[in-house]
Amino acid sequence: MATFLYRTGRFAFRRRHFVVLIWVALLALAGVGAANAPAAGSSSFSVPGTESQKAFDLLDERFPGTGADGATARVVFKAPSGEKLTDPANKKAVQRAVGELRRGAEVAAVDNPYTAKAVSKDRTIAYARVAYDVPGMELRDSSRDALETAAEHARDSGLTVEIGGDALQTAPETGATEVIGIAVAAVVLVITFGSLVSAGLPLLTALIGVGIGVSSITALASTLDLGSTTSILAMMIGLAVGIDYALFIVSRFRAELAEGRRGEEAAGRAVGTAGSAVVFAGLTVVIALVGLSVVDIPMLTKMGVAAAGTVVIAVLIALTLVPALIGFAGKRVRPANAGGLFRRRGGDARHHAHHAHRAPRGERPNMGTRWARFVTRRPVAVLLLCVAALGAVAVPAGSIELGLGDDGSQPVSTTQRRAYDLLSEGFGPGFNGPLVVVTDAKGTDDPRRAVRDVAADLEGLDDVAAVTPATFDQAGDTAIITVVPASKPSSGETEELVGAIRAAGAEITDRTGAEVSVTGTTALNIDTSQKLTDAMLPYLALVVGLAFLLLIVVFRSVLVPLKAALGFLLSVMAALGAVVAVFQWGWLGSLLGVEQTGPIMSMMPIFLVGVVFGLAMDYEVFLVTRIREAHVHGERPGQAIVTGFRHSARVVTAAAVIMIAVFAGFIGSHEAMIKSIGFGLATAVFFDAFVVRMAIVPAVLALLGRRAWWLPGWLDRILPNVDVEGEGLRPADTADEVEAPGPAAEPEPARV
């Protein structure tokens, strides 16, 4: 592989005009496609194999044309203090608002609160349900404006009016904090390289990659039914890995220049060595993201595949566009102390290249060298301290509660949240999360009697506040019964009620032959959380297993990949613990803009596991391949660790800070899932890069010594040799890398 990538790097450097033209054309093509693509609607959310999804599908079949996918809004009215909504003036204001709501172009139906029994017992709160013909994400702005105008007119009459439901749902927007994250990345790159040109290359190439990836997702969003958060998550991951991968290539290129190689040769060797690490690091990210398909939730699968596509683009750009742009930058990319090394030739350069793994004599050890020496002298103490610290942070993860957000998880400043609270005040906490019980009595002798039996059994269950009369389909053999829980939708009591209804339904099926199933948003959330929980272990087994095999090929070791996997588990559990502490317990929530604590988004943990595992392997591959490279060149295990850190610690640190900054930028999002994922990823990268990879990894390698690179002989014989260290490129040292000063010059033999 190293040889192939070496040739790719040299070709991209030499044919840089052609390579840049191709990438610019791809960016333009993707941009045109995104600009001309039809507007994407709301992504359909389904959870195949769950009872709630089967019941929902049955409703579509037996109750056609009911607009189950259409947007809904609840316009909630509250009378002024000391008054009631049944007072003539207040009633007139409510009915006038209902009349305004009915004039909307996309409105299918509007319920009058006074005829639909939608007035609270104390007559102070009422609501009008507005049904639309199209999903919330497809509503025209004029329809939302008409909804808000009708509410404002009612407020002018002295009423308190708030709006809930998905009619106000809009695509999540990126905030200014993402720009701050990119700015931080730029500052870190300038500090790392000491050159604006070198710092600008990773940013430019990452933005091009993200532009192609996000534009492609936008162009295909309508055709592939991609959700509104897909492009944001793809941008989050693509930007982070794009900067990191380009950073690895540019850093190695500058190191090759410092060793005396010419521009084209340095570019080839940078891609052949660091590029190999980028390929395998990218593969682990892709495996982790595509592996989300094992959960069997289409929306999650699409998010993972779309993000994986952006990662693939980032890898290809690092291998081709980066060396091409390096060719244009020329001497401006070289290290500040490189002098004329961009074109340097001669025996001194060749001698330096043969001993590049050794620290120059008289040079003050850098921070990476000093840190590695400290850890290798005290490996047991460092290992125990780091494991104990991560374990302490991971403790809150043991009490994690999963759920899907509703209006109750919105900030208290939003009208959706205020409408939610008013409905809870007037009709009880369970009113915002009704359960839809579908009774299929098609196979019974008396369908209506079977439905009456179901309703009677439901009324006798604990935690039931109300049971509405059954609504039958046209055939009269399928009925919908709405059950209002006494507890709020996200509570454990409501989850127990869903289980009790399903247990009662099984008994009814045995007794009458009627099939009873529970659906609705609350039941679907419960089923989704359970499915994600059940999928966690199979997902971990698949992703960690495949990545473990991949790392065995890369490192030609059994213990190093095992250490990498265990270190990942430590960092991801600590990150989950931090997420629970902030978003569920509320610790430091005010500093991060968390206005409402509650259950963690159901998809967040498994998505966090997938992304973090892939990203964690980035640092593992880049750091440990440098250590293995020194070991392969004959250094002792302890010295190989120091050498690896001397070359890689600065770059890995910069890459981690950049990735943390990019992810932290998404904490400013108003979307709860984006906010929690941004925080979780930033925290996980911090733990993994600075605690696991920079401390636990050298400590474990120091304790293992030469055993770290042990590989059974039979396995060594069957594994392909991918040559990540670029060992196959060494013969070029005497031919293409440099030119000897004269015909009698002999290359100095390599010392091992």
Side-chain angles (χ1 to χ4, degrees):
M1 173 177 285
T3 302
F4 171 76
L5 294 178
Y6 166 78
R7 293 170 180 168
T8 300
R10 295 194 62 171
F11 173 84
F13 185 96
R14 189 168 57 252
R15 305 294 184 187
R16 45 189 173 273
H17 295 86
F18 175 70
V19 172
V20 171
L21 181 62
I22 289 178
W23 282 110
V24 171
L26 289 175
L27 179 61
L29 183 64
V32 171
N36 296 322
S42 58
S43 176
S44 58
F45 183 80
S46 62
V47 190
T50 61
E51 180 179 312
S52 54
Q53 185 63 47
K54 293 176 183 176
F56 186 82
D57 295 340
L58 182 63
L59 287 178
D60 277 348
E61 176 187 341
R62 302 287 174 86
F63 292 84
T66 57
D69 292 334
T72 59
R74 280 176 171 174
V75 182
V76 187
F77 306 90
K78 183 177 182 180
S81 178
E83 300 180 21
K84 297 183 182 300
L85 289 176
T86 51
D87 295 343
N90 293 332
K91 186 174 182 178
K92 183 179 180 180
V94 171
Q95 291 180 329
R96 184 168 56 247
V98 170
E100 285 188 56
L101 292 170
R102 285 175 175 163
R103 291 197 291 268
E106 296 174 301
V107 173
V110 179
D111 295 336
N112 188 320
Y114 299 101
T115 59
K117 298 180 180 179
V119 182
S120 64
K121 292 181 180 179
D122 62 4
R123 304 294 188 264
T124 61
I125 297 175
Y127 69 92
R129 180 180 178 274
V130 185
Y132 292 88
D133 294 321
V134 296
M137 294 296 293
E138 298 179 17
L139 272 181
R140 293 197 294 264
D141 290 339
S142 58
S143 294
R144 294 193 180 94
D145 292 341
L147 178 64
E148 294 174 347
T149 300
E152 192 60 38
H153 288 167
R155 292 189 187 103
D156 293 339
S157 302
L159 301 177
T160 298
V161 186
E162 305 295 347
I163 305 171
D166 62 352
L168 296 182
Q169 179 184 6
T170 57
E173 299 178 354
T174 56
T177 49
E178 287 92 327
V179 179
I180 295 175
I182 296 175
V184 172
V187 172
V188 173
L189 287 170
V190 171
I191 294 174
T192 301
F193 289 133
S195 163
L196 289 176
V197 174
S198 297
L201 278 177
L203 281 176
L204 175 62
T205 55
L207 290 174
I208 291 174
V210 168
I212 294 173
V214 173
S215 297
S216 300
I217 291 171
T218 303
L220 299 173
S222 179
T223 304
L224 301 181
D225 189 28
L226 301 178
S228 57
T229 58
T230 302
S231 59
I232 293 181
L233 293 172
M235 179 173 65
M236 180 192 302
I237 297 169
L239 191 60
V241 301
I243 294 175
D244 277 7
Y245 294 164
L247 170 63
F248 294 160
I249 299 293
V250 173
S251 174
R252 187 60 185 252
F253 173 77
R254 286 159 56 93
E256 296 294 334
L257 287 183
E259 293 170 11
R261 296 188 175 94
R262 292 178 294 140
E264 182 179 330
E265 176 67 16
R269 287 180 170 274
V271 176
T273 52
S276 298
V278 166
V279 168
F280 283 100
L283 276 176
T284 58
V285 179
V286 170
I287 288 173
L289 291 171
V290 175
L292 291 170
S293 58
V294 303
V295 183
D296 194 25
I297 295 180
M299 187 181 79
L300 192 61
T301 299
K302 293 172 185 177
M303 289 167 58
V305 172
T310 309
V311 173
V312 171
I313 293 172
V315 171
L316 294 176
I317 281 181
L319 300 179
T320 57
L321 183 58
V322 170
L325 293 180
I326 284 174
F328 283 112
K331 297 179 181 180
R332 287 168 292 180
V333 181
R334 69 188 182 188
N337 60 348
L341 287 179
F342 199 83
R343 299 181 182 275
R344 182 176 176 181
R345 301 177 180 179
D348 291 341
R350 184 168 61 249
H351 177 83
H352 192 127
H354 281 302
H355 301 279
H357 60 280
R358 297 186 179 183
R361 292 183 180 179
E363 181 180 310
R364 184 174 181 268
N366 61 19
M367 180 64 73
T369 301
R370 296 196 299 272
W371 172 252
R373 288 173 179 170
F374 171 80
V375 174
T376 53
R377 285 196 298 266
R378 302 170 181 83
V380 175
V382 171
L383 180 61
L384 292 178
L385 179 62
C386 291
V387 171
L390 291 178
V393 178
V395 169
S399 61
I400 189 171
E401 297 176 6
L402 300 178
L404 292 180
D406 55 16
D407 285 348
S409 61
Q410 296 274 5
V412 293
S413 58
T414 62
T415 185
Q416 296 97 319
R417 172 60 187 278
R418 292 195 294 265
Y420 180 98
D421 292 340
L422 285 177
L423 290 172
S424 297
E425 177 187 341
F427 301 93
F431 187 79
N432 285 292
L435 304 175
V436 180
V437 180
V438 182
T439 304
D440 182 4
K442 192 172 184 178
T444 64
D445 297 332
D446 188 351
R448 292 190 175 271
R449 180 178 179 180
V451 171
R452 286 197 299 270
D453 291 343
V454 172
D457 288 351
L458 293 176
E459 290 175 347
L461 295 175
D462 295 335
D463 205 52
V464 172
V467 177
T468 64
T471 301
F472 285 86
D473 65 344
Q474 291 184 350
D477 55 18
T478 305
I480 299 174
I481 303 172
T482 301
V483 177
V484 179
S487 304
K488 63 180 183 179
S490 59
S491 66
E493 292 82 1
T494 300
E495 184 173 350
E496 291 176 2
L497 175 59
V498 171
I501 293 174
R502 288 172 174 170
E507 296 176 1
I508 293 171
T509 301
D510 294 338
R511 188 172 69 247
T512 66
E515 296 184 3
V516 178
S517 53
V518 186
T519 188
T521 302
T522 301
L524 188 63
N525 289 352
I526 293 171
D527 288 347
T528 301
S529 298
Q530 187 59 50
K531 185 163 188 175
L532 288 165
T533 301
D534 293 341
M536 182 66 79
L537 285 179
Y539 174 69
L540 276 174
L542 173 68
V543 172
V544 176
L546 288 176
F548 180 78
L549 295 176
L550 185 65
L551 292 180
I552 287 180
V553 174
V554 174
F555 296 130
R556 307 194 73 79
S557 164
V558 173
L559 296 180
V560 171
L562 180 62
K563 165 199 61 63
L566 294 177
F568 152 74
L569 291 176
L570 276 174
S571 57
V572 79
M573 289 303 297
L576 281 176
V579 168
V580 170
V582 172
F583 290 89
Q584 186 175 309
W585 293 359
W587 293 4
L588 303 179
S590 59
L591 296 178
L592 299 174
V594 180
E595 298 184 24
Q596 179 64 30
T597 59
I600 305 302
M601 296 291 291
S602 298
M603 287 184 287
M604 190 269 177
I606 198 164
F607 195 84
L608 178 70
V609 166
V611 175
V612 171
F613 182 79
L615 299 180
M617 295 306 104
D618 284 2
Y619 305 122
E620 179 74 16
V621 170
F622 191 75
L623 181 63
V624 179
T625 50
R626 269 291 198 167
I627 297 174
R628 176 171 169 77
E629 182 177 345
H631 176 72
V632 168
H633 290 166
E635 293 192 8
R636 299 187 310 276
Q639 183 57 38
I641 296 171
V642 173
T643 300
F645 268 71
R646 176 165 62 86
H647 288 294
S648 303
R650 182 182 179 88
V651 177
V652 170
T653 299
V657 172
I658 290 170
M659 197 170 283
I660 291 169
V662 171
F663 289 148
F666 290 85
I667 298 175
S669 172
H670 297 297
E671 187 78 9
M673 183 175 178
I674 299 297
K675 180 187 286 288
S676 61
I677 286 181
F679 174 80
L681 290 177
T683 305
V685 169
F686 173 80
F687 290 145
D688 195 85
F690 294 109
V691 181
V692 175
R693 308 303 154 190
M694 300 297 288
I696 292 180
V697 165
V700 172
L701 290 178
L703 290 173
L704 291 176
R706 295 187 182 277
R707 291 168 294 181
W709 311 108
W710 171 79
L711 185 69
W714 61 270
L715 186 57
D716 185 42
R717 289 189 293 271
I718 64 175
L719 286 179
N721 183 13
V722 296
D723 189 21
V724 176
E725 300 82 15
E727 186 69 12
L729 304 180
R730 295 188 67 194
D733 290 350
T734 59
D736 193 31
E737 174 193 352
V738 294
E739 293 183 13
E746 293 286 342
E748 180 180 333
R751 299 178 183 176
V752 297

